Amino acid sequence: LGLLTMSVLFMGGTANTAWADTAVSIDSNVDETLERFYKEVGSGKKLVKDAKGVLVFPSVIKGGFGVGGSFGEGALRINGKTVDYYNTAMLSVGFQIGLQKKSVILLFMQDDVLNRLRNSSNWKAGADAAVTLVNVGADGSIDTQKTNEPIIAFVIGQKGLMYNLTLEGTKFTKISK
């Protein structure tokens, strides 16, 4: 599994072709992910409405056996319309066994950080801009102080919103669909 994951991450364009969803499929999955987000986060709809852009990865698969990584495809929406497609990839080293599926939602709250993403072919969280992960309470409430950050992110696992994760070092690459 570790070799498979590494192969997907390092093949770049080949992986995009072999493993890629269609634009219609990605858009449909983004719709479903956002609906789930709205149900789990009380102010989710308002946050998305206030954001300059929303980058949604409905299915990011993370796996490994010693060496691991993650990969997923998603769409960038501005004013509710898809404007670009991206993939995300991250390589990790250390003790890890298994597979995990999650959804990642990044809200770009300022035009300048959104423009940096759109004008870059390979944008990296942490290096190109800080990404603030927002924790969600059991009642769907969030820490409103964190919503003032330029980029805020939410990670949704199979059992709901996840926390204590990092997107540091995750690469986002624009792809054509």
Side-chain angles (χ1 to χ4, degrees):
L1 184 58
L3 291 175
L4 174 65
T5 303
M6 286 176 47
S7 298
V8 169
L9 293 174
F10 290 117
M11 286 171 34
T14 307
N16 291 345
T17 305
W19 293 65
D21 280 332
T22 65
V24 171
S25 175
I26 291 172
D27 287 334
S28 174
N29 291 333
V30 166
D31 290 338
E32 290 174 19
T33 301
L34 286 173
E35 285 303 317
R36 183 173 179 204
F37 175 68
Y38 298 151
K39 288 178 186 170
E40 292 193 29
V41 178
S43 57
K45 278 188 180 183
K46 181 180 179 348
L47 286 170
V48 169
K49 184 177 180 262
D50 292 346
K52 305 299 182 187
V54 181
L55 183 56
V56 181
F57 294 94
S59 179
V60 177
I61 305 296
K62 178 181 179 183
F65 189 81
V67 174
S70 61
F71 181 82
E73 291 183 327
L76 174 65
R77 291 192 173 170
I78 297 175
N79 297 321
K81 298 196 183 333
T82 298
V83 295
D84 292 312
Y85 293 94
Y86 287 81
N87 70 28
T88 181
M90 184 172 127
L91 180 66
S92 56
V93 179
F95 181 75
Q96 52 201 318
I97 295 177
L99 227 84
Q100 180 184 40
K101 178 184 167 192
K102 61 187 175 187
S103 300
V104 177
I105 300 169
L106 291 106
L107 303 176
F108 292 80
M109 306 308 286
Q110 298 173 354
D111 285 319
D112 62 324
V113 291
L114 176 61
N115 291 335
R116 273 188 260 150
L117 168 74
R118 295 195 74 200
N119 294 324
S120 171
S121 59
N122 287 307
W123 186 85
K124 196 175 215 180
D128 294 313
V131 176
T132 302
L133 279 167
V134 178
N135 295 335
V136 178
D139 61 352
S141 65
I142 60 172
D143 180 354
T144 55
Q145 288 182 318
K146 290 188 175 182
T147 60
N148 295 327
E149 298 295 327
I151 305 170
I152 57 176
F154 297 85
V155 179
I156 305 172
Q158 292 173 333
K159 294 182 180 176
L161 283 151
M162 302 168 73
Y163 54 93
N164 293 336
L165 298 172
T166 182
L167 294 175
E168 190 86 14
T170 302
K171 189 168 96 172
F172 302 93
T173 305
K174 192 181 294 189
I175 57 176
S176 53
K177 289 287 169 185

